[in-house]
Amino acid sequence: MKVIYLDNNATTRTLPEVLQKMGPYFTDFYGNASSIHTFGGSNKHVIEKARAQVAALLNSDAEEIIFTSGGTEGDSTAIFSAVNSYPQKKHIITSAVEHPAVLEVCRFLASHGYRLDIIGVDEFGRFNMEQYKKALDEDTAIVTTMWANSETGTIFPIKEIAELAHAKGALFHTDAVQAAGKIPTDVKDINADFVSISSHKIHGPKGMGALYIKQGTRFMPFMRGGHQENLRRAGTENVPNIVGFGYAAEIALQHLPEYQTHVKPLRDLLEKELLKEIPDVKINGDVKNRLPNTLNMSFGYIEGESILMFLDEEGVCASSGSACTTGSLEPSHVLRAMGVPFQFAHGSIRFSLSRFTTLEEIQTVIKILPDIIARLRAISPFKKGL
Amino acid sequence: MWDYTDKVLDHFKNPRNVGIIENADGTGQVGSLICGDALKLTIKVNKETEVIEDIKFQTFGCASAIASSSVLTEMAKGKTLTEASKITNQDIANALGSLPEAKMHCSVMGMEALEAAIKSYRQGGKPVVFEQAQESKLICQCFNVTEETILKAIHANNLKTVEDVTHFTKAGGACGKCKGAIQEILNKVLACEIPQKKQEEKKPFSALTIVEKIKAIENVLNTEIKPQLNRDGGSIELVDLNGNIVTVRLLGGCAACIASQMTLKNFVGKTLQEKLDKNLEVKQA
Ligand SMILES: Cc1ncc(COP(=O)(O)O)c(C=O)c1O
Ligand code: FES
């Protein structure tokens, strides 16, 4: 069966040309970049080339980039570095809709004596700026809020958030894992101190990422040991992954405009047609300010996992904020923070497109989904009428 | 992705006995939109033989909720009310091959809906919403689960941990503030099973011998403090006791953690003071 992959916010396909570039660094040029011999040592240049490629995607200088094992490590590194570098400051701020890679770190610190403010969002998932302004004070070590939300695609006004943080002397970190490669990510423009990104969300290999550390920012490494990454991240460099990530970043930057010209129209078509074909549907997120590839919809009276399983039968991959899919018993914390009513939170489905998504694939979903919804609603005790 | 058996998938994709029986003799409901799953059963009963001649369901929920309801209708059909009322959640799960641990509550829901439908028949057909026994204490506010339901689940399924209880009843699965209460229920049940030595009269900490003191401290470390630190990837060991000064060493994740000083003072220190003696002081080795 042909797979229709609409779960690109979860992960993406590693591009064949990326894989091809990586291959020789497993088999032929496997030397350690820290070695004195030319065989290993020349891999240094390869790493530096990739660093420049990643820097270009973020519009930063190459020296401001360190390679990590992924978005999660970047998030941890940034937050722990900030609190460790300013030990007298005992307050951190984040938002209620962050990825667990940020939220759990903040909660960990909160359980170890830090004051934590978790800023809420409105029904469209928009950041509560007033609450944020009140929470900020001179004791704030770091503010960490994501650039774009993985579940709804909602984009935060991070430039403004960063400016307010700096005015109080706090550092600002943004998790740009979902934004990178989908919308322009100019870290100079937003003036962040830390920005984390992940390779597997931009068609690079998994287990790879980068952290941008603004020139002059106080920094403490998260991984200690060898002298790699200019003493900022110990561990023998994962050369094949670094090569792949660098190349994926370069390709992502080249193709960025396609998210507006190709992906967004397809997403909008999917949204429009589903709204037309299916009653009792609600869009989750800030439709005016959203990633071009993400569509999060709730279908009343039915539960998300059931929808996903029927979609899966047709080869369509998507995801859901329903409790049942995650193994936890509560629906998505993002939707709950937005005040999405329980019944709609349980019936939420996220479609996330890539630049490889085709019109034909979208038309298939538009064709099959109304039937699936009707079939499940026929079983549901809540659907009135029908 | 869940590991569903073919049986579960079959009942999910081709649910049997879907719908509502018009003029049903009994209607049972359980769950709600808020919980994320709900089931409505209607039954037609032969007044003479009390055999369930027809049964239909409607379910809001995941694949295993739909499959549990569907297989339940097959199991109950043709049985007398007495026979049917003996169907347990374990029977439902068995009929489906098996259910993932975290989905066992779906089978519990089936059992409860059937119980409600039978009660409805006995009461003349008015729909009955399954309710936890009224006089039983409400333990989990998030999912509205009472002590009795938890006890039943523990006994019927031989549950040992809070996590087990959450899988079977949902209690503890949301805010988690009821987890302590669930643990207490478990403790009581487990205590009944393993007869314990009667607790000795409690002497104040200061009156204990040095060996008893160390034992008492280690006991608090093991039961109250370590589990917490383990969650953060760390641990703790007792190094020394000198007067009221308890010297400990933080291990693993805690040792490297910059917040360790606060852990010591706020958490370890406070816990020891609360449990044993308010004059105790904690120092790092
Ligand atoms: C917003 C966000 N942050 C962090 C991560 C974690 O990234 P990684 O899987 O590379 O550790 C993800 C992806 O799951 C994400 O969506
Ligand atoms: S009260 Fe039980 S999970 Fe919240």
Side-chain angles (χ1 to χ4, degrees), chain A residues 84 90 108 112-114 301-303 305-306 309-310 313 324 327 329-330 342-343 346 375-376 379-382, chain B residues 2 4 9 12-13 33-36 38 57-63 103 166 170 174 232 258-259 262-263:
Chain A
N84 288 349
K90 294 291 177 215
F108 170 83
H112 287 78
Y114 280 82
Y301 316 112
I302 52 179
E303 197 277 333
E305 183 196 304
S306 308
M309 299 224 3
F310 276 126
E313 280 229 287
C324 290
L329 292 168
E330 277 213 288
F342 273 101
Q343 68 139 314
H346 285 298
R375 201 164 149 187
L376 285 166
I379 310 180
S380 168
F382 295 115
Chain B
W2 300 105
Y4 284 135
L9 291 177
F12 166 60
K13 285 173 192 161
L33 272 171
I34 293 175
C35 301
F57 82 91
Q58 286 185 321
T59 292
F60 164 84
C62 58
K103 298 278 189 177
T166 306
K170 285 193 167 193
D232 297 336
I258 42 93
M262 291 211 236
T263 309

Side-chain angles (χ1 to χ4, degrees), chain B residues 200-221 225 238 240-248 268-269 271-282:
Chain B
E200 285 170 37
E201 188 88 25
K202 246 194 155 168
K203 274 196 267 180
F205 184 76
S206 52
L208 299 178
T209 68
I210 184 93
V211 177
E212 284 172 334
K213 276 185 184 167
I214 287 185
K215 272 213 177 121
I217 292 173
E218 284 194 320
N219 188 29
V220 174
L221 288 182
I225 294 169
L238 179 62
D240 195 14
L241 173 69
N242 193 346
N244 278 328
I245 312 234
V246 184
T247 312
V248 296
V268 181
T271 312
L272 287 173
Q273 285 164 2
E274 271 166 28
K275 297 281 163 193
L276 300 172
D277 189 326
K278 64 178 190 316
N279 295 317
L280 287 177
E281 248 179 78
V282 177

Side-chain angles (χ1 to χ4, degrees), chain A residues 274-348:
Chain A
L274 293 181
L275 280 174
K276 202 167 76 192
E277 296 295 323
I278 307 174
D280 298 321
V281 181
K282 186 179 166 309
I283 307 288
N284 300 311
D286 185 3
V287 288
K288 293 202 202 70
N289 198 12
R290 193 171 38 153
L291 289 177
N293 79 317
T294 307
L295 172 59
N296 190 315
M297 296 184 117
S298 282
F299 302 91
Y301 316 112
I302 52 179
E303 197 277 333
E305 183 196 304
S306 308
I307 304 172
L308 287 185
M309 299 224 3
F310 276 126
L311 282 172
D312 191 48
E313 280 229 287
E314 312 273 347
V316 178
C317 310
S319 71
S320 167
S322 115
C324 290
T325 51
T326 57
S328 80
L329 292 168
E330 277 213 288
S332 142
H333 72 285
V334 175
L335 300 183
R336 287 295 308 284
M338 289 162 60
V340 173
F342 273 101
Q343 68 139 314
F344 278 99
H346 285 298
S348 75

